[in-house]
Amino acid sequence: MGLEIVEPNACIRGCCSSNSIPLHLPPSSYTLLKPIARGAESVVYEAILDGKKVAVKKPILSTSEDLDKFHKELQLLCKLDHPGIAKLVAAHAKPPNYMYFFEFFEPPNLSEKLHMEEWSPIINQVLAVAVQLAKALQYLHHLGIVHRDVKPSNILLDEDLYPHLADFGLAEYKKDLKGVSIGNWRSSGKPTGGFHKKNMVGTLIYMAPEILKKEIHTEKSDVYSFGISINELLTGVVPYTDLRAEAQAHTVLEMNYTEQQLTAAVVSDGLRPVLAGPESGAPSTLLSLIERCWDANSQNRPSFDDIVAELGTILEQGENMKESDIVFPKSSNSLGDQPVYVASSLQAYQEGINWFSQGENFITRACLPKPGTAIWLASNDPLAYNPILSWGSFATCGRRETMEDTHFLLPQMFHQGDIHAFGIFDGHRGAAAAEFSARAFPGFLQALSSTSSPSGALFEAFIKTDIAFRAELDFSRKSKRVIQKDWHPGCTAAAALIVGNKLFVANAGDCRTILCRAGHPFVLSKDHVASCLEERERVISAGEQVRWQVDNWRVGLAALQVTRSIGDDDLKPAVTAEPEITETILSAEDEYLVMASDGLWDVVSNAEVVSIIKDTVKEPGMCSKRLATEAAERGSKDNITVIVVFLRPVSTAERIY
Ligand SMILES: Nc1ncnc2c1ncn2[C@@H]1O[C@H](COP(=O)(O)OP(=O)(O)OP(=O)(O)O)[C@@H](O)[C@H]1O
Ligand SMILES: [Mn+2]
Ligand SMILES: [Mn+2]
């Protein structure tokens, strides 16, 4: 590169220096083109430096510790030169712009290649990746450096699908590791920092038991992460899930195990990902090497000197077999098929399908009967008590990264003053089912008014929404718009329908609806969860397994905690969409309804809801927000949606407290 080195070629503090890597760049020498990744601690850009494409990593520096870390990482990077390590080509180590410039590798990285493109490497491709990665780590360990964050998303691929190790954000000299206290480690924001859940879980699954136990890292912790990563390469499966797609795996990981549970299982029960089978083409020698790499006792794990030697032998054996075994290409360097970059399908996957409009379109296309209110109103006595409604809602994704709750408010349905409907859908394994239902369910409910009683219409609307969603998902799968075959999104659902003085509440799953009558909470729905004996027996007799896993009763392979839902087509018919419906005659004693997803009920009891609303300005939107905020403050880990419906006017005196 024709970049000039300006002397003194050192960082502003003087701690980083290099003979070959320029550490100051005139702003005119580079152009940032577009961000390609946002990590927990940095943004990575595609950029041009001196006419060549490079990757610029711009760390987020908010504290002086972050700045120390930048210098430490730079010192380290300046010393590295190995074909298996993403090369630092320049840096800018002066305020205000701190940046690393790396050799550029076209996306996807190894994680994206496996889980978005669903790459199934042949065994020689796996071996080639394993050898080069092992050599890079051998080189680092000989320099006395431990990487501490070996995982597929930190492995970049070149055109020949050769791996280059990146991300030295957690790397340390082995001699300094004893001094790296847990406190230090936490302040680096990773892996214990709670703000970036996805990365945290992502890193957690590659961590050796001794790290999870908060003992000292050694270079053998890298060996463990290497073993987990190579097994992932062979199976194509995200560790501890049965899924190929990373995006859904996080949700499933959460459902199967929380972080603490996974940690406990890895540490105490020796839990490991499912080892690749013979169908992967892996020789038994490779499988045994992987098992030794992830041995619970770090001293039993091989060193990278051993690993490089063993992989060499495995490759040679493969060479000798080549006459009889057509799977092996001639040499380990000529990697079977050419890399194919399917940028467009990758993008389609990331953009996804808009399930709200899918739901809406379904209703438009379905040619449903015209709504008619005769049947509903027939059951209504015009002289009976007539509640006067006001309503509000509040929804927040809370500590989660994604929002999978949806809801609808349909007051004064058909422009009738005395018919109203409200509903909440709490999605799992993605938001698709909840988004679809939020639009399709109200459509079905309205159409059913001309043919069914209010409770019949509610019941049918649950069933029809479920069937429609599953059909739509199936169709999208067949037309290849959904590329993950093993993705089975679902949602729980709660709906309230008020016709005159009658209140109907239909529920499937663990959303809950309560009625405050004369100052006391009355629960109008039952939680359908596997810990409920009646539900468990129903599910088992419908042919699905219910097992005690870690901390709770869970249904099927997907380990679902709820026993009724819309969607979840891998668990149908046992996890039914049939709601249970209650009917209540309203009177002047009835003050308000509260409907909410389990994000509220997990941390706030029915009685507490009543006492919180007592101290809140009597405005339904404010009450909803106050409840959701309270749940978030109490540490609810989930999305939270609350709908509050007042059933009688609040006097001005009463309004404030
Ligand atoms: N040299 C490069 N060429 C192309 N893409 C790169 C390069 N370096 C990093 N990336 C992309 O940016 C992503 C994040 O980079 P990196 O892991 O270094 O950042 P980070 O902030 O430490 O992320 P993490 O959240 O994993 O700690 C990588 O997973 C990779 O997809
Ligand atoms: Mn990374
Ligand atoms: Mn990092």
Side-chain angles (χ1 to χ4, degrees):
M1 226 174 245
L3 279 172
E4 216 181 307
I5 293 192
V6 186
E7 293 298 342
N9 191 39
C11 68
I12 190 165
R13 294 185 182 175
C15 60
C16 312
S17 63
S18 169
N19 300 329
S20 53
I21 301 169
L23 299 180
H24 311 292
L25 293 174
S28 59
S29 63
Y30 60 86
T31 318
L32 301 190
L33 296 178
K34 57 171 189 214
I36 47 177
R38 283 172 211 280
E41 324 160 290
S42 67
V43 183
V44 177
Y45 297 86
E46 184 178 321
I48 300 286
L49 171 65
D50 198 32
K52 278 191 187 154
K53 222 187 224 188
V54 292
V56 170
K57 182 170 175 176
K58 225 175 162 175
I60 299 156
L61 302 174
S62 39
T63 64
S64 65
E65 276 173 2
D66 294 340
L67 207 56
D68 294 344
K69 211 176 139 250
F70 174 87
H71 286 278
K72 206 171 84 190
E73 192 170 340
L74 181 57
Q75 280 173 39
L76 229 146
L77 287 167
C78 283
K79 300 208 166 57
L80 302 179
D81 185 13
H82 188 275
I85 292 174
K87 192 173 165 42
L88 184 75
V89 292
H92 195 79
K94 263 192 188 164
N97 284 319
Y98 290 87
M99 290 176 280
Y100 309 102
F101 293 75
F102 290 99
E103 164 188 13
F104 186 79
F105 295 95
E106 284 296 337
N109 63 37
L110 181 56
S111 168
E112 296 159 345
K113 182 91 187 159
L114 285 172
H115 306 305
M116 288 183 181
E117 286 189 11
E118 305 209 345
W119 181 45
S120 299
I122 57 165
I123 183 63
N124 259 29
Q125 292 174 311
V126 175
L127 285 170
V129 170
V131 170
Q132 170 137 317
L133 185 59
K135 285 183 175 164
L137 285 156
Q138 180 187 33
Y139 165 84
L140 282 180
H141 289 182
H142 282 185
L143 289 178
I145 295 167
V146 187
H147 184 277
R148 306 206 304 161
D149 205 9
V150 175
K151 57 177 176 181
S153 69
N154 284 337
I155 297 168
L156 310 178
L157 299 169
D158 64 22
E159 287 145 12
D160 297 324
L161 297 176
Y162 264 76
H164 302 261
L165 185 59
D167 194 357
F168 284 73
L170 289 178
E172 282 283 350
Y173 279 99
K174 199 187 160 196
K175 63 174 167 44
D176 297 333
L177 275 176
K178 291 185 193 66
V180 180
S181 73
I182 299 304
N184 257 327
W185 205 42
R186 191 164 285 155
S187 70
S188 76
K190 280 187 65 184
T192 38
F195 60 95
H196 206 270
K197 193 162 200 170
K198 186 171 157 192
N199 280 287
M200 204 165 52
V201 176
T203 302
L204 187 76
I205 57 188
Y206 302 97
M207 275 192 221
E210 65 272 16
I211 304 172
L212 297 172
K213 281 193 281 187
K214 313 218 155 124
E215 293 170 6
I216 290 282
H217 284 249
T218 68
E219 67 272 35
K220 292 295 178 66
S221 317
D222 283 349
V223 174
Y224 178 95
S225 315
F226 172 84
I228 302 276
S229 302
I230 299 304
N231 190 62
E232 183 172 338
L233 199 53
L234 284 169
T235 58
V237 167
V238 181
Y240 308 108
T241 73
D242 50 3
L243 297 185
R244 284 213 60 134
E246 206 178 26
Q248 266 65 49
H250 290 286
T251 330
V252 171
L253 256 177
E254 277 295 307
M255 285 203 306
N256 279 305
Y257 311 99
T258 65
E259 273 156 61
Q260 287 98 344
Q261 290 158 357
L262 181 60
T263 302
V266 169
V267 171
S268 327
D269 309 337
L271 181 73
R272 294 293 181 272
V274 179
L275 186 68
E279 74 288 346
S280 66
S284 56
T285 41
L286 179 61
L287 299 178
S288 120
L289 177 63
I290 288 173
E291 285 184 298
R292 276 175 291 129
C293 285
W294 70 34
D295 197 293
N297 181 348
S298 65
Q299 290 173 355
N300 295 340
R301 296 176 204 150
S303 69
F304 277 106
D305 288 339
D306 304 333
I307 294 172
V308 168
E310 277 192 48
L311 287 172
T313 316
I314 294 172
L315 272 170
E316 270 167 32
Q317 285 163 349
E319 291 275 297
N320 297 338
M321 280 165 65
K322 76 175 180 246
E323 301 297 330
S324 56
D325 190 346
I326 43 159
V327 178
F328 285 85
K330 279 211 183 68
S331 102
S332 63
N333 284 353
S334 71
L335 293 166
D337 46 272
Q338 285 294 307
V340 195
Y341 294 118
V342 281
S344 56
S345 81
L346 224 155
Q347 202 172 2
Y349 167 82
Q350 281 164 341
E351 282 168 8
I353 296 168
N354 183 338
W355 288 97
F356 283 115
S357 30
Q358 293 290 112
E360 210 158 295
N361 296 341
F362 194 97
I363 293 299
T364 321
R365 281 198 320 263
C367 305
L368 298 168
K370 257 191 131 63
T373 52
I375 299 180
W376 287 8
L377 292 176
S379 66
N380 215 21
D381 172 4
L383 297 176
Y385 172 75
N386 217 346
I388 301 199
L389 266 63
S390 56
W391 53 88
S393 66
F394 187 80
T396 167
C397 75
R399 298 188 183 183
R400 287 266 166 99
E401 254 193 1
T402 51
M403 182 60 172
E404 297 177 345
D405 281 4
T406 62
H407 65 282
F408 72 88
L409 305 176
L410 211 60
Q412 291 158 350
M413 244 165 118
F414 320 119
H415 308 289
Q416 295 262 0
D418 39 15
I419 303 182
H420 318 266
F422 307 94
I424 295 183
F425 306 94
D426 177 350
H428 47 256
R429 298 197 270 182
E435 293 179 356
F436 182 91
S437 303
R439 298 295 160 81
F441 182 90
F444 282 123
L445 185 63
Q446 282 171 288
L448 285 157
S449 61
S450 59
T451 53
S452 310
S453 65
S455 55
L458 277 169
F459 189 89
E460 283 300 306
F462 272 71
I463 302 299
K464 286 194 170 3
T465 305
D466 171 60
I467 293 173
F469 174 68
R470 291 190 287 126
E472 208 52 10
L473 184 67
D474 220 37
F475 178 77
S476 302
R477 266 189 207 119
K478 290 201 177 100
S479 62
K480 298 265 181 345
R481 290 200 301 152
V482 169
I483 55 179
Q484 310 118 279
K485 295 167 285 302
D486 43 12
W487 180 44
H488 306 281
C491 69
T492 62
L497 175 62
I498 297 171
V499 180
N501 66 338
K502 295 207 179 75
L503 163 65
F504 304 87
V505 171
N507 182 56
D510 60 359
C511 293
R512 191 184 300 160
T513 302
I514 67 169
L515 169 68
C516 179
R517 171 173 283 181
H520 299 288
F522 291 87
V523 183
L524 301 183
S525 59
K526 183 171 108 187
D527 299 345
H528 301 128
V529 286
S531 55
C532 160
L533 178 64
E534 228 180 316
E535 278 297 295
R536 200 155 67 228
E537 286 174 351
R538 187 188 59 71
V539 169
I540 292 168
S541 65
E544 195 58 64
Q545 284 196 3
V546 182
R547 280 172 301 167
W548 179 265
Q549 265 174 279
V550 195
D551 63 332
N552 224 323
W553 289 100
R554 292 162 192 269
V555 183
L557 274 179
L560 212 63
Q561 287 188 42
V562 292
T563 50
R564 299 190 189 209
S565 70
I566 289 167
D568 292 310
D569 59 359
D570 54 335
L571 299 172
K572 287 279 175 295
V575 173
T576 177
E578 288 181 14
E580 286 191 294
I581 300 176
T582 59
E583 189 178 332
T584 310
I585 305 288
L586 297 173
S587 68
E589 289 188 303
D590 293 316
E591 295 163 45
Y592 53 84
L593 276 183
V594 177
M595 308 176 76
S597 56
D598 65 326
L600 176 75
W601 306 112
D602 280 349
V603 290
V604 185
S605 71
N606 305 333
E608 284 170 326
V609 163
V610 170
S611 73
I612 290 168
I613 290 188
K614 199 174 279 169
D615 307 332
T616 305
V617 176
K618 299 293 174 294
E619 195 281 312
M622 296 276 265
C623 291
S624 308
K625 185 169 182 182
R626 172 83 175 78
L627 289 170
T629 314
E630 178 70 25
E633 275 168 11
R634 292 189 185 188
S636 175
K637 292 208 182 73
D638 204 349
N639 299 149
I640 307 158
T641 299
V642 184
I643 298 176
V644 174
V645 181
F646 285 160
L647 299 169
R648 59 184 196 199
V650 184
S651 73
T652 336
E654 242 187 314
R655 193 164 278 275
I656 316 274
Y657 305 125

